[in-house]
Amino acid sequence: MAKPKTQILDEIGVSGLPMYAGRVFNEPLTKLSGDRWRKVVRDMQTNDSSINAMLFVIEMLARQVSWTVEAFETGNAKDEEIAEFYRGALFKDLSDTWQETLSEILSMIPWGWSYLEIVYLRRSGENDDAKLSSNFADGKIGWRKFALRSQETLFKWETDDNGNVTGLTQTAPPDFRQRTIPLIKALHFRTSSHKNNPEGKSILRGGYRDWYFKANIENIEGVGIERDLAGLPVMYVPAEILSPNANENDTSLRNELLKMLRGVKRDEQEGMLLPIAYDSKGNQLYKFELLSTGGKREFDTSKVIDRHDQRMMMSVMADFLLLGSKETGSYALSDNKSKLFCNALSAWLDSICDVFNRQAIPRLQKLNGWDTARMPKLTHGAVEQISLEALGTYLQHCSQSGIEFDEKQQNWITQQIGMPAKAATNTPKKETKPTKTVKKEKI
């Protein structure tokens, strides 16, 4: 049997990602695969103060970044008009603001990915129906919103024969009905594209081990402190109550006493009520007491917790947030680490722009019948603010070297120091009279 010829444009191999029935099995730890990892992520970002602080800083830094849409060719009237259309569609006409949409997109950082459905609308002006209302009335197709499809609702990924994602199927409350959102109508953001994994890689995964030990040590520490303060509760009871052949009444009493013993805490409910009962020899039948601890604990749990906390934050280059809360750490070290963190965040924002420029804008360009060869692009500003001291020193050196700045450059400088840009002035040029050249006659 003759083998079919391979076409030069055919894709032959696959990425090697272990995916079966639309579900990814790329996690080496079985206890962290699938839905179990999603529960861990929710616990980590909800209950850990350090992780919560890191995610808060990421979102707030991203929110203060300036965003704009640049025309394909600056100065071209048609290109500028189309760019202005996208600025209005993205920053003025979304039912959820751009800042709110950005927060949903950034959920890819703790989860590794985010999937937002594109909802379009016809721009026909204001309408009583919020789904049809627009701030523009030009009749063009625009965006109504980019709606997050929660990571916790993922049922499976839809893929083609080569493992490329073509859509997402979710099961979500209140009806838990399966809904498939094709990729052609969605934006798919990932922190990593290794093995073409649709679920990317959560930045929390590298710090999971340290988070696990930190959380468990904190729980043990809490129990230990409670026992140190309250002591070890001990109760003496008649022997027949502890007998395996105890009757129903004694068994019930034993269970109640055990419940009471385990519930002893130093709080507003502390205290026990026991009967005064003696045997025939005058010995008290019921007795309760607290035994003191043997002494100071051998391990300093604070140092152990701090170590795991720092290593966990180091995994995402956010350990500069811990500087100042400890006795060590310098401003220079904090400055260098924060710059690395901002550079990493800037790279994530670059990937967000890439998804819009490769997926969202081309589709809307086609829907409105515009040339896809002259598309505008979404860009973002700098994440880290320039130091005024460094800027002042630089400008001083430029002045001493005789370097002059044009009006556009001067406006940029004033923006960096928080001052409004200089208004453009249209100064009429002075008319210069043509000089007559007088021919000199030879003598």
Side-chain angles (χ1 to χ4, degrees):
M1 181 177 178
K3 295 183 179 179
K5 293 183 178 180
T6 301
Q7 300 296 325
I8 193 66
L9 299 179
D10 290 345
E11 184 175 356
I12 302 173
V14 294
S15 67
L17 178 71
M19 177 186 285
Y20 309 98
R23 296 176 182 173
V24 179
F25 296 90
N26 196 43
E27 173 55 55
L29 292 180
T30 306
K31 65 178 182 179
L32 295 182
S33 61
D35 294 338
R36 285 167 286 190
W37 169 242
R38 297 187 191 106
K39 292 179 181 178
V40 171
V41 171
R42 188 173 182 178
D43 190 13
M44 291 177 74
Q45 65 177 339
T46 303
N47 296 323
D48 191 282
S49 57
S50 297
I51 292 176
N52 194 278
M54 181 264 295
L55 295 176
F56 176 80
V57 167
I58 289 176
E59 182 174 344
M60 292 302 105
L61 283 174
R63 277 175 173 250
Q64 60 88 32
V65 169
S66 61
W67 297 79
T68 188
V69 178
E70 296 180 353
F72 178 80
E73 181 182 342
T74 304
N76 183 289
K78 182 62 177 177
D79 291 343
E80 293 287 359
E81 180 184 349
I82 294 176
E84 186 60 33
F85 164 84
Y86 281 101
R87 294 185 195 109
L90 200 57
F91 306 128
K92 299 178 182 179
D93 210 26
L94 295 180
S95 58
D96 298 328
T97 66
W98 169 247
Q99 299 292 344
E100 294 169 338
T101 303
L102 184 61
S103 295
E104 301 286 29
I105 295 172
L106 290 173
S107 65
M108 71 172 178
I109 293 176
W111 293 96
W113 61 278
S114 60
Y115 199 86
L116 282 75
E117 180 180 351
I118 304 175
V119 183
Y120 297 99
L121 88 161
R122 175 75 67 177
R123 307 196 335 171
S124 302
E126 295 183 1
N127 194 298
D128 293 336
D129 187 349
K131 295 180 180 180
L132 303 176
S133 184
S134 172
N135 292 323
F136 302 92
D138 51 19
K140 294 183 175 66
I141 302 296
W143 293 309
R144 182 163 73 87
K145 65 177 178 178
F146 299 95
L148 177 70
R149 301 309 171 214
S150 173
Q151 292 86 349
E152 295 168 283
T153 66
L154 172 65
F155 178 71
K156 67 174 182 176
W157 295 98
E158 305 295 333
T159 58
D160 60 18
D161 294 338
N162 294 102
N164 300 310
V165 171
T166 59
L168 174 146
T169 298
Q170 64 168 177
T171 55
D175 56 7
F176 292 93
R177 181 168 60 88
Q178 290 188 15
R179 296 175 173 86
T180 299
I181 303 100
L183 185 60
I184 193 65
K185 200 178 179 299
L187 299 179
H188 184 200
F189 301 90
R190 295 180 293 178
T191 57
S192 170
S193 58
H194 180 57
K195 290 186 180 180
N196 200 21
N197 187 346
E199 297 181 12
K201 181 182 179 182
S202 168
I203 65 167
L204 303 182
R205 180 59 185 89
Y208 166 75
R209 180 179 174 85
D210 287 290
W211 170 82
Y212 177 82
F213 283 117
K214 173 190 170 184
N216 281 278
I217 291 172
E218 284 180 335
N219 291 335
I220 294 172
E221 182 185 53
V223 174
I225 291 174
E226 181 182 356
R227 288 305 181 204
D228 274 358
L229 295 176
L232 178 66
V234 177
M235 183 179 291
Y236 302 94
V237 298
E240 58 268 18
I241 293 180
L242 304 178
S243 173
N245 299 322
N247 57 39
E248 184 177 348
N249 291 333
D250 288 342
T251 301
S252 177
L253 176 60
R254 180 181 62 199
N255 292 335
E256 287 298 321
L257 292 174
L258 283 173
K259 183 179 178 181
M260 186 184 301
L261 195 65
R262 291 168 179 163
V264 173
K265 298 182 189 303
R266 296 306 309 268
D267 54 25
E268 66 275 6
Q269 297 181 358
E270 66 178 336
M272 299 186 69
L273 183 64
L274 295 175
I276 299 178
Y278 300 90
D279 59 13
S280 57
K281 298 181 180 180
N283 297 319
Q284 188 175 359
L285 294 177
Y286 296 92
K287 183 180 180 182
F288 172 80
E289 63 183 4
L290 292 172
L291 297 182
S292 61
T293 57
K296 186 178 179 180
R297 291 189 302 277
E298 184 177 354
F299 300 102
D300 187 348
T301 56
S302 295
K303 289 185 178 180
V304 178
I305 291 173
D306 287 345
R307 184 188 73 204
H308 288 299
D309 208 17
Q310 184 176 19
R311 289 172 57 179
M312 181 176 63
M313 300 296 280
M314 282 176 60
S315 67
V316 291
M317 294 188 295
D319 52 318
F320 70 93
L321 295 173
L322 301 176
L323 296 175
S325 60
K326 308 291 187 298
E327 295 179 356
T328 58
S330 63
Y331 172 79
L333 181 62
S334 173
D335 188 47
N336 291 334
K337 287 180 175 289
S338 62
K339 285 181 179 178
L340 289 174
F341 183 80
C342 289
N343 290 338
L345 177 55
S346 183
W348 281 325
L349 299 185
D350 288 340
S351 70
I352 292 174
C353 291
D354 288 341
V355 171
F356 270 92
N357 295 331
R358 288 187 294 107
Q359 299 180 20
I361 293 179
R363 295 169 191 169
L364 193 55
Q365 195 88 346
K366 291 179 182 178
L367 287 175
N368 286 302
W370 292 326
D371 186 4
T372 55
R374 300 184 67 85
M375 294 186 299
K377 63 179 182 179
L378 176 67
T379 61
H380 69 85
V383 175
E384 187 180 18
Q385 298 294 329
I386 296 177
S387 168
L388 295 183
E389 182 179 357
L391 180 61
T393 303
Y394 172 75
L395 293 176
Q396 183 180 7
H397 291 327
C398 289
S399 177
Q400 293 172 353
S401 302
I403 299 176
E404 296 182 357
F405 301 101
D406 58 26
E407 186 173 355
K408 186 176 180 180
Q409 293 169 334
Q410 291 175 6
N411 286 339
W412 180 88
I413 294 172
T414 56
Q415 290 173 2
Q416 301 308 308
I417 59 179
M419 295 178 63
K422 181 182 178 182
T425 56
N426 296 322
T427 306
K429 295 182 179 179
K430 294 182 179 180
E431 295 183 2
T432 56
K433 295 181 179 181
T435 56
K436 294 181 179 180
T437 57
V438 180
K439 295 182 178 179
K440 296 183 178 179
E441 297 181 357
K442 294 182 179 179
I443 299 175

